[in-house]
Amino acid sequence: MRRLFFIALARQLRIIWPILSGIVSVMIVSGLAIWRIENWRIDEALYFTFVTGLTIGYGDFTPKHLSARMFALVIGFAGIVLTGVVAAVTVKALSATDQDSRDGRYQPDEP
């Protein structure tokens, strides 16, 4: 059953890949803009990007300039969308796996 789930998940990711890569690209570009505006190291800016995008928000890096704060908002909203898309794809894969098992396509191993 686990194998069916991962196969269904891979199918869903192939379909949704352009959207996922677009969202991650927006996050990275916004993080690079913050890097330039705030004069942080690039690793700090990318760390800030993904901590903010994943809605963790430790607070160890905070943008001081208004334009960088606007980019941080973009990162936050993109992270919320990314989380929603990943959850939707996972639920769809679980649903497809359940449907396959009900249709008799799944044959569990006999002990």
Side-chain angles (χ1 to χ4, degrees):
M1 178 123 26
R2 193 176 316 152
R3 187 172 56 107
L4 287 176
F5 168 73
F6 285 115
I7 290 169
L9 184 63
R11 282 188 199 133
Q12 295 301 317
L13 288 175
R14 263 190 308 193
I15 294 168
I16 205 80
W17 183 250
I19 295 169
L20 286 175
S21 61
I23 295 168
V24 171
S25 296
V26 165
M27 291 173 68
I28 290 173
V29 167
S30 297
L32 293 175
I34 291 174
W35 164 60
R36 297 291 294 174
I37 295 166
E38 294 292 330
N39 291 320
W40 291 343
R41 293 190 335 245
I42 194 162
D43 62 323
E44 293 172 340
L46 292 176
Y47 165 79
F48 170 79
T49 298
F50 287 101
V51 166
T52 301
L54 295 172
T55 66
I56 298 168
Y58 292 125
D60 48 352
F61 293 100
T62 55
K64 305 292 185 242
H65 298 87
L66 179 62
S67 56
R69 290 179 180 181
M70 294 299 118
F71 280 115
L73 286 173
V74 169
I75 292 168
F77 284 123
I80 291 169
V81 171
L82 179 67
T83 302
V85 168
V86 168
V89 167
T90 304
V91 167
K92 182 72 174 170
L94 285 169
S95 176
T97 303
D98 185 49
Q99 187 64 36
D100 285 350
S101 66
R102 286 184 188 173
D103 292 343
R105 293 183 218 161
Y106 171 67
Q107 299 297 325
D109 295 335
E110 308 234 352

